[in-house]
Amino acid sequence: MPAPVDPLACAAALPGNPVSPPVASPPAPGDSAWRERLAHLRLLATERSCRQTGRSAGARAGELPGRELAPGLRLHEVRVGESRARLAGLELAQGLRAPWSAEVVDREQLCLFDTETSGLAGGVGLKVFLLGVLRRDGDGWLLRQYLLTRLAGEAALVDAWAEECRGVPWLVSYNGKRFDLPALRTLETLHRRGAVAAGLGHWDLLYPVRRAFRGRWPDCRLTTAERMLAGRERAHDLPGGEAPRAWRTFLAHGDTGDLLRVMQHNRFDLEALLRVLRALLAMPETRFETGCGPRRDAEPGHRRWSPG
Amino acid sequence: MSLDARLQEVEPEFPVDAAGAGRLPALLARLKRKYRGCITGEAVTPAQPGQFAELPAELHPRLRMALQTRGIARLYSHQAQAWAAITGGEDCVIATPTASGKSLCFNGPVLDAALKERAKALYLFPTKALAQDQVAELLELNRAGELGVRACTFDGDTPSDARRAVRTHGDVVVTNPDMLHQAILPHHTKWAQFFQSLRYIVIDEVHGYRGVFGAHVANVLRRLQRICTFYGVRPQYICCSATIGNPREHAQALTGRSMQAITRSGAPCGAGHLLFWNPPLVNPDLAIRASARSQVSKLARMALKTGLKAILFAPSRLMVEVLTKYLKDVFDHDPRKPARVRAYRGGYLPDERRLTEKLMRQGALDAIVSTSALELGVDIGALDVALLCGYPGSIAATRQRLGRAGRRQQSTLGVLVAGSEALDQFVVRNPAYFLERSPEHARIDPDQLLILLDHIRCAAFELPFAQDDTYGAREIHEFLEYLADEGVLHRDGRLWHWIDDSYPANAVNLRSVADGNFVVVDRTDGRQTIIAEVDYSSAALNVYEGAIYMVQSVPWQVEKLDWIGRKAYVVRTHVDYYTDAIDYTRLKPLAEFGEAAAGEGVARHGEVHVVTRVTGYKKIRYYSHENIGYGPVNLPDRQLQTTALWWRLTPQAIDHAFDSRHEALDGFLGAAYALHTVATLLSMSESRDLGKAVGSGEGDWSARIASRGRGELRGPGGVALDVAALADFAPTVYLYDNYPGGIGLTRPLFDRRDELIATAIGLVSGCRCDVGCPACVGPVLGADRTRAPRTCALRVLQLLCEPPPASDGSRTITGCRTDVVDDGGDGKSGVAAAAADTRRAASTPVPSGAYRHA
């Protein structure tokens, strides 16, 4: 019988084909066509994004409140004095004992924090662009907001967070254990810094709220807790889900409008956190019967996955 | 290889199954005596004594003790060679046969480094089952020597409280490329500790990472490399491969590293007998042969009755069940006794598969019937006989399956039983074709534009790119600018940051497998038990209402199919038939992006619609295999919208060049075969990545190769048509991107269309076969030389290449030059082509299985 020809050997022997198929590096002829195709792709993308020719983010960062702490990072401070704090329902006793954990914490130690990020999907690509910290200051409260106006300011943001964590504060957050802290930890790792918040005391109020009210409230979101426990409804608040877009728009075109509303939203959240804390501290222990801690079955970003 | 098996072999005082030694020659002699007419060829691989080497002197004492406890006092020569290369700091690929002890090649150095320096290792296996096997083997070694090395799997089944422990304490983490892509790399900061001590990356079954899937995996490894560089490490690669033509080049293309290849096995092996088996003619007048299924079933019965253990490979899941039933009817009719025969295939629940693997390893089973699922290195212990029902389609896969039979000192038997398809018949009638050729080459092109773009997206999410960064040795600032235009990247100084709110790895599926498996729910007597899973793409073929669905050959009938809810409800049934779906595929162009003259015809690039419809099913009675009825199936079509390139000749040109339409049809089918072969080579893809079809330009008929390698036509609904009776006959050859939306394979092929045609002409004209073979236009079984498909295919290809007769004398085109005629005039077609290419890249999370249902 005639011996059939190996198609590879045959193809290789033909003109226009390299004698030995180049395996490690792709064939060169594709390169120019490839460039051209990419150019087409870019053209489309440009048309799609309909870019405005607004001023760059850096140029309009000066319109934002506060002062530049480092290139790309602004700090905005707002003081809430004693009398205003009382009026707003933000006052708190000196010594605090958590009815859900029996831990005793001094008011001066508290560090309420909340971040705004470029998304909710998790992972290394998630950027923290606003860190708000609410702490006791004299006879009232001081809000410090660190805003990333350029990505070059990330390292300074990490340093600011480290500074906030000095002096062993007691952290208070809403879902901070699973969301805000991991996001900040990622940032620390990317900038080769240590884990400053590791080992700090932390009240993540989501868990006591869930323990006490799950099934009784429609959901356990912070705004719901604020409404149910402090009787406050927010008006004119930017929905949290809008924050990523607001920041991206600012980076691309320098629009500060929605970014200011994000800063306001962050402030509302921190005040709400304080009110919820106040309400929870006043509750009897029986409300929180079993221990509170993060549920371990749903880490963000780790979807159940089965290949094949 | 199982360590238990090694135990027997290096400690000769363990009893060798002396009685068993004579059984195989007895069976072989009987087959040759009684079935001489069926055996078309025989090949014997001589037995090989083992070649041994001492355990390395520098071995950690506890590991030495562990190995000795497990019965390993010496290494095979290739294991020692691998050890030396690895400890010498080289990247290497080990390509030795199945069961030659490949895993010790990497486990040894990895454990040694873990003990001495707490160095960590990442293992990548293509499936969860293989990963679990590997961890079990590591844990056994660990126990034997009290090594204290922590080996764990990390996959979709790992509970999240265990994940933290794996990340922080795992010394050897065993996972799969999909998990690396979607869960580990995008969260690399959580793995910082692990990456900082990462010394080895072990990739098993690298031969499986070919074509588009391989290109994806190569890019995942480039991303892994970036992350490793960030954490200041440069891990060594240890790859393992089955026998392929180019293990070294392939591993290099996959990892981007220069590799040392270790290909000479030092493991002893018994003589291997291979028989080529053509089922006997049952109707010589009509040239109808007995089925491969009946022959395999008979051979298996003979093997089992001789006391040998056998593995059977069937071409489909359905055939696995039918074969299992036939064997169970003989060997497992007493329900009180443990089963001797079990089936193994995709779709079974993991526990079911683990149980079968375990029973097989323990020697509790006598036969296992499997699909390609057992081609991979799942440990199932030692077997005597491998029976292949049909030719698996490639030399590498055939060898892999035959290699499943293997015992250290005793001889083994493999039988390749041909089915009725032309390719099977060709191989079995020309055994030299199989024996003389080397296994296929594995090819990948990691720089496929849209795949590259997808992974640069993921890489940018994982770490910002610097302006002058390279990726896979390529400058990529153009890609970065593109992604910035798209709004997902933002440039600040020298760095490009990811600022989008999406998680790009979720939008990229390495295997392009549709999501949303169907579960098969047993509701006999009010139960609600899940008994199996069916993947989305094959649901329409397997679980339509009325289908008989089998698990371990036990039949259930599908009562209701909830297409939206992805559930098939079945009840236990007792019938004497099984069902087989009738489907047909047709293709229709939707839009043209580019057009060019091609000889006397025309070549086009554009978007096509590929429709696969299941129209009904046949009821087939067991044993007699007669058709005892039909049933209708009313399911949504499976639709694939993708990009393609196609060639067409005018009816006049065809009438002029061919005596009959049958010849033209054979020619087009042969040309499609040759063009497909050449196109997969040029685009470095796998044959499954590109589809090929011959049909009318309007999609009202499609052609396929029927038995004996000649073409036939199907109209809408799968009705057979007569080619001579068609009013208009303008066949078209299509090559299409076999992925929803297309992944950009066809545009570069359209740009290289002249080269494609020229190479195909060279392939067909240069082939040394007579009328057509699998290497050129596809297998052909006997034909008149002048009207042979090969001759006809060559004519079609030449018509598509030669310039039209220069009527006005102004065009003097030589060779295969063609002029591009853009239909849009001002380059619009190019943009439209790019638009089609972009669809998948630009639209955010399109689930990979964008097969739409009308």
Side-chain angles (χ1 to χ4, degrees):
Chain A
M1 57 150 283
V5 174
D6 184 329
L8 231 196
C10 182
L14 287 158
N17 266 312
V19 175
S20 60
V23 180
S25 63
D31 245 41
S32 56
W34 176 86
R35 281 251 153 77
E36 179 201 327
R37 292 174 64 207
L38 196 65
H40 282 312
L41 291 182
R42 285 195 59 196
L43 186 67
L44 288 171
T46 316
E47 283 167 5
R48 208 173 19 241
S49 70
C50 311
R51 284 190 298 170
Q52 300 162 13
T53 49
R55 281 175 289 166
S56 73
R60 295 181 64 172
E63 297 171 10
L64 292 163
R67 63 193 161 89
E68 187 164 78
L69 207 57
L73 187 70
R74 290 186 82 80
L75 170 62
H76 175 50
E77 289 180 304
V78 185
R79 205 169 171 282
V80 185
E82 173 73 3
S83 53
R84 258 185 67 208
R86 192 175 301 125
L87 278 173
L90 298 174
E91 78 280 21
L92 217 52
Q94 181 75 45
L96 310 166
R97 185 177 172 283
W100 59 86
S101 65
E103 287 149 332
V104 178
V105 176
D106 191 280
R107 182 177 66 184
E108 310 299 323
Q109 266 183 285
L110 293 183
C111 170
L112 291 76
F113 75 103
D114 184 36
T115 64
E116 303 300 327
T117 58
S118 62
L120 297 168
V124 182
L126 182 84
K127 301 278 192 251
V128 176
F129 69 86
L130 177 62
L131 167 66
V133 178
L134 188 63
R135 307 188 72 154
R136 192 71 188 172
D137 177 58
D139 57 355
W141 295 90
L142 179 67
L143 170 72
R144 273 198 288 268
Q145 288 181 311
Y146 300 93
L147 176 72
L148 206 59
T149 55
R150 281 179 45 199
L151 285 149
E154 258 190 352
L157 178 64
V158 180
D159 291 339
W161 172 239
E163 196 54 38
E164 290 289 348
C165 287
R166 267 172 34 140
V168 201
W170 190 276
L171 303 177
V172 183
S173 70
Y174 209 78
N175 200 23
K177 285 188 177 173
R178 269 186 40 206
F179 189 80
D180 306 65
L181 275 190
L184 288 164
R185 179 73 200 104
T186 293
L187 208 55
E188 289 170 339
T189 309
L190 286 174
H191 290 274
R192 306 183 196 278
R193 307 289 213 281
V196 292
L200 293 183
H202 187 170
W203 287 335
D204 184 337
L205 302 188
L206 174 64
Y207 302 101
V209 163
R210 273 205 188 136
R211 193 62 63 183
F213 302 107
R214 177 188 295 211
R216 297 169 53 191
W217 290 354
D219 59 62
C220 289
R221 280 186 288 193
L222 180 59
T223 44
T224 310
E226 184 186 21
R227 188 172 70 238
M228 305 300 270
L229 296 177
R232 286 183 74 106
E233 288 281 356
R234 287 195 210 176
H236 314 300
D237 187 21
L238 186 79
E242 289 288 297
R245 194 194 43 75
W247 186 59
R248 280 203 305 275
T249 310
F250 168 74
L251 283 184
H253 317 300
D255 294 350
T256 52
D258 278 350
L259 197 58
L260 290 168
R261 296 183 66 201
V262 174
M263 294 179 78
Q264 189 192 38
H265 168 81
N266 177 256
R267 176 185 166 174
F268 286 164
D269 269 356
L270 282 166
E271 289 177 0
L273 185 63
L274 187 50
R275 288 192 191 96
V276 170
L277 173 65
R278 190 166 162 262
L280 291 177
L281 289 170
M283 284 181 188
E285 281 176 32
T286 47
R287 258 283 161 68
F288 316 93
E289 269 159 356
T290 39
C292 308
R295 273 156 48 90
R296 295 187 141 192
D297 57 351
E299 253 176 287
H302 282 144
R303 282 141 196 87
R304 287 189 73 76
W305 168 251
S306 60
Chain B
M1 165 182 53
S2 103
L3 286 161
D4 298 299
R6 294 221 34 187
L7 201 64
Q8 293 194 358
E9 151 237 328
V10 290
E11 301 282 336
E13 63 268 25
F14 274 77
V16 173
D17 185 1
R23 287 175 190 151
L24 195 108
L27 174 66
L28 195 59
R30 187 158 160 241
L31 290 177
K32 285 196 210 171
R33 195 173 61 243
K34 276 188 75 179
Y35 300 97
R36 185 188 308 228
C38 295
I39 298 170
T40 59
E42 186 186 358
V44 183
T45 323
Q48 245 191 354
Q51 288 177 312
F52 298 94
E54 292 308 309
L55 288 174
E58 72 275 14
L59 192 63
H60 191 281
R62 287 223 300 280
L63 181 56
R64 180 180 297 270
M65 196 180 76
L67 292 174
Q68 281 166 350
T69 312
R70 304 290 304 151
I72 301 165
R74 293 178 293 176
L75 293 179
Y76 297 135
S77 55
H78 65 278
Q79 292 170 331
Q81 200 189 342
W83 198 303
I86 294 162
T87 49
E90 282 194 69
D91 299 308
C92 63
V93 54
I94 302 139
T96 53
T98 322
S100 56
K102 277 193 280 241
S103 50
L104 191 60
C105 293
F106 51 80
N107 280 341
V110 163
L111 289 173
D112 197 48
L115 283 169
K116 287 176 182 163
E117 301 154 62
R118 288 235 82 88
K120 304 206 175 202
L122 179 70
Y123 283 22
L124 293 177
F125 283 78
T127 67
K128 283 192 269 188
L130 288 169
Q132 281 160 2
D133 269 12
Q134 192 53 229
V135 167
E137 188 167 333
L138 281 165
L139 291 180
E140 274 178 33
L141 262 176
N142 201 20
R143 251 196 312 276
E146 291 168 18
L147 304 181
V149 173
R150 284 155 301 204
C152 15
T153 52
F154 187 81
D155 56 35
D157 297 342
T158 311
S160 55
D161 51 350
R163 291 185 174 201
R164 177 187 290 272
V166 173
R167 289 196 296 257
T168 46
H169 302 303
D171 294 306
V172 181
V173 174
V174 186
T175 186
N176 52 61
D178 314 84
M179 203 66 187
L180 182 61
H181 156 65
Q182 286 203 317
I184 298 180
L185 294 178
H187 283 277
H188 65 84
T189 50
K190 289 182 178 169
W191 293 81
Q193 222 178 322
F194 178 79
F195 281 118
Q196 278 156 5
S197 324
L198 184 60
R199 172 84 61 85
Y200 297 112
I201 298 169
V202 173
I203 312 173
D204 202 0
E205 316 275 359
V206 288
H207 62 277
Y209 303 133
R210 299 180 307 244
V212 169
F213 179 38
H216 275 296
V217 173
N219 276 290
V220 172
L221 293 176
R222 288 169 169 179
R223 283 159 53 198
L224 174 62
Q225 188 51 57
R226 269 186 97 222
I227 302 301
C228 287
T229 307
F230 176 77
Y231 290 105
V233 292
R234 190 181 186 275
Q236 257 175 276
Y237 279 99
I238 310 170
C239 300
C240 289
S241 171
T243 313
I244 49 173
N246 59 341
R248 182 164 170 268
E249 288 76 7
H250 180 58
Q252 291 185 164
L254 193 68
T255 60
R257 296 279 184 88
S258 161
M259 290 263 161
Q260 186 188 133
I262 294 159
T263 51
R264 285 175 68 97
S265 169
C269 64
H273 297 268
L274 169 61
L275 299 181
F276 292 82
W277 189 282
N278 205 1
L281 285 167
V282 289
N283 185 335
D285 295 334
L286 297 174
I288 295 172
R289 290 180 180 271
S291 67
R293 175 196 55 233
S294 66
Q295 298 289 295
V296 164
S297 162
K298 181 165 77 182
L299 288 165
R301 286 199 303 272
M302 290 169 72
L304 262 61
K305 282 177 178 160
T306 321
L308 297 165
K309 290 191 186 300
I311 180 162
L312 286 66
F313 283 101
S316 68
R317 293 178 179 183
L318 177 62
M319 208 41 69
V320 164
E321 297 295 347
V322 173
L323 272 171
T324 306
K325 177 184 159 56
Y326 290 178
L327 290 182
K328 277 182 169 292
D329 284 351
V330 177
F331 296 102
D332 289 334
H333 46 75
D334 185 347
R336 289 163 302 180
K337 291 188 184 158
R340 294 174 66 188
V341 180
R342 283 182 78 89
Y344 186 100
R345 61 172 175 84
Y348 279 2
L349 301 178
D351 287 351
E352 171 98 32
R353 292 222 239 178
R354 295 299 92 73
L355 176 67
T356 305
E357 287 162 18
K358 192 170 143 223
L359 289 172
M360 202 68 208
R361 237 178 354 250
Q362 292 169 341
L365 294 180
D366 290 323
I368 187 165
V369 187
S370 173
T371 53
S372 58
L374 275 180
E375 246 174 51
L376 297 174
V378 177
D379 182 9
I380 48 164
L383 300 161
D384 306 293
V385 180
L387 303 172
L388 275 54
C389 181
Y391 178 61
S394 75
I395 291 168
T398 307
R399 290 201 189 281
Q400 186 89 345
R401 290 181 188 193
L402 291 171
R404 269 303 178 178
R407 282 190 191 268
R408 248 45 56 181
Q409 315 290 9
Q410 297 170 25
S411 28
T412 57
L413 171 64
V415 186
L416 173 58
V417 181
S420 58
E421 290 83 35
L423 180 58
D424 286 48
Q425 285 296 317
F426 183 89
V427 170
V428 83
R429 291 183 201 181
N430 305 289
Y433 174 84
F434 177 85
L435 296 170
E436 285 168 8
R437 287 164 57 107
S438 68
E440 291 79 3
H441 286 226
R443 278 177 292 271
I444 54 171
D445 175 11
D447 290 331
Q448 181 59 244
L449 180 69
L450 293 182
I451 294 176
L452 197 59
L453 194 57
D454 270 346
H455 286 278
I456 288 175
R457 218 178 269 272
C458 296
F461 178 90
E462 288 150 11
L463 281 178
F465 273 105
Q467 176 65 11
D468 47 2
D469 266 359
T470 55
Y471 175 83
R474 189 184 266 290
E475 284 189 8
I476 54 154
H477 58 91
E478 285 171 288
F479 284 89
L480 300 176
E481 280 159 23
Y482 168 73
L483 292 173
D485 287 347
E486 208 179 63
V488 298
L489 291 193
H490 179 77
R491 183 180 177 176
D492 193 349
R494 287 183 59 253
L495 291 180
W496 299 79
H497 293 265
W498 179 266
I499 54 160
D500 198 43
D501 56 359
S502 63
Y503 188 87
N506 274 352
V508 181
N509 193 329
L510 306 187
R511 307 192 197 226
S512 297
V513 178
D515 292 331
N517 277 0
F518 281 69
V519 290
V520 181
V521 183
D522 176 19
R523 49 179 192 191
T524 314
D525 306 329
R527 274 194 294 254
Q528 282 286 342
T529 321
I530 294 174
I531 55 166
E533 291 173 336
V534 177
D535 49 67
Y536 179 82
S537 55
S538 61
L541 292 169
N542 287 305
V543 288
Y544 43 87
E545 288 172 14
I548 301 295
Y549 187 83
M550 287 180 278
V551 174
Q552 293 295 349
S553 83
V554 174
W556 275 267
Q557 184 154 33
V558 179
E559 278 199 322
K560 187 172 177 300
L561 177 63
D562 175 2
W563 189 265
I564 306 295
R566 302 271 191 273
K567 286 188 190 74
Y569 295 100
V570 299
V571 289
R572 185 74 174 80
T573 183
H574 300 273
V575 289
D576 65 343
Y577 67 89
Y578 60 92
T579 53
D580 201 0
I582 309 164
D583 67 320
Y584 85 104
T585 298
R586 86 196 146 93
L587 196 141
K588 188 179 179 177
L590 295 177
E592 285 167 23
F593 305 145
E595 182 182 284
E600 294 187 37
V602 63
R604 292 195 174 96
H605 176 243
E607 195 168 301
V608 295
H609 194 205
V610 185
V611 182
T612 307
R613 176 181 295 171
V614 177
T615 53
Y617 63 91
K618 294 180 277 196
K619 294 178 180 175
I620 300 167
R621 179 171 284 153
Y622 285 121
Y623 295 106
S624 72
H625 300 112
E626 62 194 306
N627 241 329
I628 54 168
Y630 290 90
V633 173
N634 211 344
L635 284 178
D637 288 344
R638 202 181 74 154
Q639 307 194 43
L640 170 65
Q641 201 162 318
T642 183
T643 55
L645 76 156
W646 62 93
W647 290 266
R648 216 180 155 175
L649 284 173
T650 58
Q652 295 75 23
I654 289 168
D655 287 345
H656 188 252
F658 293 96
D659 293 341
S660 77
R661 286 181 174 182
H662 282 287
E663 280 175 28
L665 189 61
D666 282 349
F668 269 88
L669 286 164
Y673 189 98
L675 285 168
H676 181 255
T677 304
V678 172
T680 51
L681 283 168
L682 288 187
S683 62
M684 297 206 193
S685 53
E686 276 289 285
S687 91
R688 61 168 182 254
D689 298 331
L690 274 176
K692 64 169 188 287
V694 171
S696 78
E698 284 71 43
D700 42 44
W701 57 262
S702 62
R704 54 174 211 148
I705 296 179
S707 59
R708 304 182 63 82
R710 311 310 291 253
E712 67 177 29
L713 290 192
R714 296 271 161 189
V719 187
L721 295 179
D722 179 10
V723 61
L726 289 175
D728 196 28
F729 183 64
T732 309
V733 185
Y734 297 90
L735 293 178
Y736 61 92
D737 191 322
N738 210 359
Y739 292 87
I743 48 157
L745 290 173
T746 54
R747 173 65 203 266
L749 288 174
F750 179 69
D751 293 341
R752 298 169 78 178
R753 61 192 173 272
D754 300 343
E755 190 184 346
L756 254 176
I757 296 277
T759 313
I761 288 175
L763 178 70
V764 177
S765 62
C767 190
R768 279 176 288 165
C769 74
D770 199 12
V771 292
C773 76
C776 57
V777 299
V780 177
L781 304 171
D784 175 356
R785 190 181 289 262
T786 54
R787 296 172 170 203
R790 197 179 136 210
T791 321
C792 301
L794 198 56
R795 205 171 299 154
V796 169
L797 291 168
Q798 277 160 348
L799 286 171
L800 291 172
C801 173
E802 281 164 1
S807 51
D808 58 352
S810 65
R811 292 178 73 187
T812 47
I813 304 169
T814 52
C816 288
R817 298 261 317 271
T818 49
D819 296 329
V820 176
V821 184
D822 270 345
D823 51 348
D826 51 10
K828 258 188 179 163
S829 59
V831 175
D837 284 343
T838 331
R839 183 174 310 109
R840 203 181 65 105
S843 61
T844 33
V846 175
S848 56
Y851 281 113
R852 274 162 301 179
H853 281 269

